[in-house]
């Protein structure tokens, strides 16, 4: 049951409705009863309005962690409002991390930005940029009219549609109708944005049988300079990572090739800002204003580079003519098509092409995409920017990055083998900047 507390007085549903009408500046449907959210704690502000102070959740990361809530340690107002649905513990972790990412992308590029988060790391992030007809097809949006913000989300989700399934979405700008329309038909847990048009909010409230999580963040909120967390009963405190990612970080270029285009600088900023909110170790590949491969949370940096590079290869292979021409049955839904494509371009392609299997997906049996065809297609990928959240210890990272079309790199530098990393870049004509900024995130 929803319990509202105002100045420690328990308020009945009828009293809340009356107080809500008199003092709240949101619709009556905003604070809805929910089995996921048991208590909202309110106080009155100096103007007699209502301020949300605390949100108690059904449970924490797991159902056995029964006591869970979010609140401000200094007793101030929470910086977000629940407009619809049932935010969970992990939902809120994703929401608050992802919004920081898109806010910084917007500030850095002056373009609308979007992010697709899963388990406290981005599956993808992007800024508004012109999309090719091919990208519209592989992102399943060629039938939609897209606004700049909707374009950013289509690209953020399209970067890795397998990982984005069931994502939490962050938007830098007020959510408009085209973006809400796109969100409505994707499998997603929720969205956070600085605002929503009335029509966009109405669309989102119909999603997931009315249970889609919609959060509105206060865009003027500024957190405290220091932050704390507890591990095993021990409190850790540190300054927030407020480092600004700008093109000035790319001024030191020790490689022979020093050509750094404006587009490359934009993409490297996107990579580094994305990494700032990605579980470390992490590496990010970016092209044309969108991430195309994020390698997160690996103990070995070269494993990050391989993981993100493999995702970038998949992104590019999805644009191969044979993949675009796959004869899907009309009744195969988008998520199932994404799964089938992912398997088709892998070494396990027989799992979707074998007799008795392909008939469930295709109108006729497709020819496999051979290893030679894949290698030749990937060799055509160029202009990719790569960021790393710390230095590359060996040149093997550069060798792997080169195979996925990387021409520009930004990394901290400072390894005892920097000379080997630089030599490997020079071997392939790669432009590499040393930022001297580490971006670990835990």
């Amino acid at each position: 049951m929803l319990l509202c507390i105002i100045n420690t007085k328990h308020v009945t549903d009828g009293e809340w409705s009356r107080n809500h009408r008199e003092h709240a500046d949101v619709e009556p449907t905003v604070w809805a009863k929910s089995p996921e959210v048991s208590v909202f704690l309110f106080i009155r502000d100096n103007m007699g309005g209502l301020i949300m102070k605390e949100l108690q959740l059904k449970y924490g990361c797991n159902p056995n962690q029964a006591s869970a809530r979010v609140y401000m340690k200094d007793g101030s107002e929470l910086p977000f409002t629940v407009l619809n649905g049932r935010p969970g513990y992990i939902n809120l972790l994703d929401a608050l991390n992802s919004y920081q990412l898109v806010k910084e992308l917007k500030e850095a590029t002056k373009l609308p930005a979007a992010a697709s988060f899963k388990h406290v790391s981005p599956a993808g992030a992007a800024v508004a940029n012109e999309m090719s007809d091919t990208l519209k097809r592989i992102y399943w949006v060629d039938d939609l009219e897209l606004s700049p913000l909707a374009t950013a989300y289509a690209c953020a989700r399209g970067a890795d549609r397998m990982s984005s399934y069931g994502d939490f979405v962050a938007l830098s700008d007020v959510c408009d109708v085209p973006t809400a329309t796109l969100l409505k038909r994707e499998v997603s847990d929720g969205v956070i944005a600085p605002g929503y048009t009335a029509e966009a909010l109405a669309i989102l409230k119909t999603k997931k049988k009315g249970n889609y999580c919609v959060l509105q963040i206060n865009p003027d909120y500024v957190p405290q300079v220091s932050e704390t967390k507890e591990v095993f009963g021990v409190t850790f405190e540190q300054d927030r990572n407020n480092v600004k990612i700008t093109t000035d970080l790319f001024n030191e270029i020790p490689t022979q090739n020093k050509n750094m285009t404006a587009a490359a600088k934009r993409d490297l900023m996107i990579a580094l800002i994305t990494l700032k909110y990605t579980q470390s170790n992490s590496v990010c590949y970016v092209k044309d204003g969108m991430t195309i491969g994020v390698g997160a949370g690996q103990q070995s940096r070269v494993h990050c580079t391989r993981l993100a590079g493999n995702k970038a290869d998949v992104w590019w292979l999805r644009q191969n003519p044979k993949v675009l021409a796959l004869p899907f049955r009309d009744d195969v839904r988008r998520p199932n098509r994404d799964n089938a494509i992912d398997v088709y371009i892998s070494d396990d392609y027989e799992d979707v092409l074998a007799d008795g299997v392909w008939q469930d997906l295709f109108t006729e049996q497709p020819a496999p995409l051979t290893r030679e065809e894949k290698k030749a297609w990937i060799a055509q990928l160029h202009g990719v920017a790569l960021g790393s959240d710390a230095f590359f210890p060996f040149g093997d990272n550069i060798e792997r990055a080169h195979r996925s079309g990387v021409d520009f790199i930004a990394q901290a530098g400072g390894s005892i083998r920097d000379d080997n990393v630089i030599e490997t870049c020079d071997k392939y004509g790669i432009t590499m900047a040393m930022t001297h900024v580490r971006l670990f995130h835990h």
Side-chain angles (χ1 to χ4, degrees):
M1 175 181 180
L2 180 66
L3 177 63
C4 300
I5 308 173
I6 303 177
N7 292 339
T8 72
K9 175 187 176 183
H10 290 237
V11 182
T12 66
D13 289 338
E15 289 173 323
W16 163 241
S17 297
R18 183 168 58 254
N19 279 307
H20 188 286
R21 288 194 300 271
E22 293 173 355
H23 299 293
D25 57 357
V26 288
E27 298 178 10
T29 53
V30 168
W31 310 110
K33 290 183 180 179
S34 165
E36 293 285 341
V37 181
S38 56
V39 177
F40 291 106
L41 176 61
F42 298 88
I43 65 168
R44 292 192 186 282
D45 63 18
N46 293 333
M47 302 299 292
L50 296 174
I51 297 174
M52 190 170 81
K53 306 280 289 185
E54 178 180 317
L55 185 61
Q56 291 194 4
L57 310 175
K58 185 177 181 181
Y59 52 77
C61 280
N62 302 291
N64 64 289
Q65 295 168 276
S67 179
R69 60 176 176 151
V70 292
Y71 62 98
M72 305 297 284
K73 291 181 70 174
D74 63 1
S76 61
E77 178 183 4
L78 285 169
F80 63 88
T81 302
V82 183
L83 298 184
N84 195 72
R86 309 170 176 181
Y89 190 94
I90 296 174
N91 289 155
L92 293 174
L93 288 174
D94 283 340
L96 297 175
N97 277 282
S98 60
Y99 180 71
Q100 293 178 80
L101 193 164
V102 298
K103 184 178 182 180
E104 287 196 35
L105 284 182
K106 176 68 180 288
E107 291 172 350
T109 67
K110 312 304 181 188
L111 296 168
S116 171
F117 257 59
K118 287 283 293 292
H119 288 283
V120 207
S121 278
V127 297
N129 200 15
E130 186 174 351
M131 291 175 64
S132 68
D133 290 340
T134 297
L135 286 182
K136 290 178 182 178
R137 287 182 63 188
I138 69 170
Y139 296 164
W140 313 114
V141 295
D142 51 333
D143 61 330
L144 296 176
E145 291 291 331
L146 300 176
S147 64
L149 186 62
T151 298
Y153 176 59
C155 292
R157 187 181 180 96
D160 183 359
R161 287 187 61 86
M162 295 290 290
S163 296
S164 289
Y165 186 86
D167 63 352
F168 207 96
V169 181
L171 306 173
S172 66
D173 293 19
V174 172
C175 181
D176 54 19
V177 169
T179 307
T181 301
L182 174 56
L183 280 167
K184 182 181 178 181
R185 73 182 197 179
E186 297 288 7
V187 178
S188 170
D189 274 0
V191 59
I192 186 169
Y196 302 81
T197 67
E199 189 175 353
L201 183 58
I203 292 170
L204 294 173
K205 285 184 174 182
T206 66
K207 185 175 173 63
K208 294 183 70 172
K209 298 181 180 179
N211 293 318
Y212 188 62
C213 181
V214 182
L215 305 179
Q216 182 168 324
I217 187 80
N218 176 4
D220 298 323
Y221 167 69
V222 178
Q224 297 293 324
V225 173
S226 65
E227 60 185 7
T228 62
K229 68 183 297 184
E230 286 191 8
V231 178
F232 201 51
V234 178
T235 300
F236 291 68
E237 181 175 341
Q238 66 174 358
D239 291 340
R240 288 180 49 77
N241 186 3
N242 287 325
V243 63
K244 291 294 183 183
I245 307 299
T246 70
T247 56
D248 291 341
L249 291 178
F250 312 137
N251 289 338
E252 183 181 326
I253 301 177
T255 52
Q256 293 176 5
N257 189 347
K258 301 183 185 300
N259 178 47
M260 183 79 75
T261 65
K265 291 180 180 179
R266 176 205 60 200
D267 287 350
L268 288 173
M269 282 199 302
I270 292 170
L272 295 185
I273 291 171
T274 299
L275 293 172
K276 188 178 174 183
Y277 298 100
T278 303
Q279 297 297 303
S280 297
N281 290 314
S282 60
V283 164
C284 180
Y285 293 63
V286 176
K287 183 173 172 59
D288 298 333
M290 70 192 89
T291 64
I292 60 173
V294 179
Q298 303 300 303
Q299 288 77 20
S300 165
R301 185 151 306 277
V302 73
H303 287 166
C304 295
T305 306
R306 292 170 185 167
L307 175 60
N310 291 343
K311 292 185 177 187
D313 292 347
V314 169
W315 173 83
W316 182 241
L317 285 167
R318 286 168 59 197
Q319 302 175 59
N320 183 279
K322 288 183 74 169
V323 178
L324 292 172
L326 285 173
F328 282 106
R329 289 172 35 167
D330 291 340
D331 60 348
V332 177
R333 302 177 63 186
R334 286 189 304 276
N336 293 329
R337 294 185 185 207
D338 288 330
N339 289 335
I341 290 170
D342 194 67
V343 175
Y344 174 76
I345 61 183
S346 75
D347 291 339
D348 299 320
Y349 60 87
E350 290 184 354
D351 289 350
V352 293
L353 298 185
D355 285 336
V357 178
W358 69 262
Q359 292 91 338
D360 294 332
L361 298 166
F362 308 110
T363 57
E364 58 184 79
Q365 187 176 28
L369 186 63
T370 67
R371 180 168 297 182
E372 292 74 18
E373 288 173 319
K374 289 188 283 188
K375 185 176 181 180
W377 182 256
I378 292 173
Q380 299 177 46
L381 178 58
H382 297 289
V384 177
L386 179 148
S388 175
D389 70 349
F391 64 69
F392 284 126
F394 301 101
D396 55 355
N397 290 274
I398 311 304
E399 295 280 358
R400 177 61 191 87
H402 167 71
R403 293 203 298 272
S404 294
V406 169
D407 290 321
F408 308 96
I409 293 175
Q411 56 117 349
S415 167
I416 61 173
R417 298 179 182 84
D418 276 350
D419 55 348
N420 175 244
V421 174
I422 295 168
E423 288 171 2
T424 311
C425 286
D426 290 341
K427 175 181 175 181
Y428 297 111
I430 294 172
T431 302
M432 182 179 69
M434 288 190 174
T435 66
H436 303 289
V437 173
R438 195 176 79 173
L439 295 168
F440 280 175
H441 180 65
H442 291 290

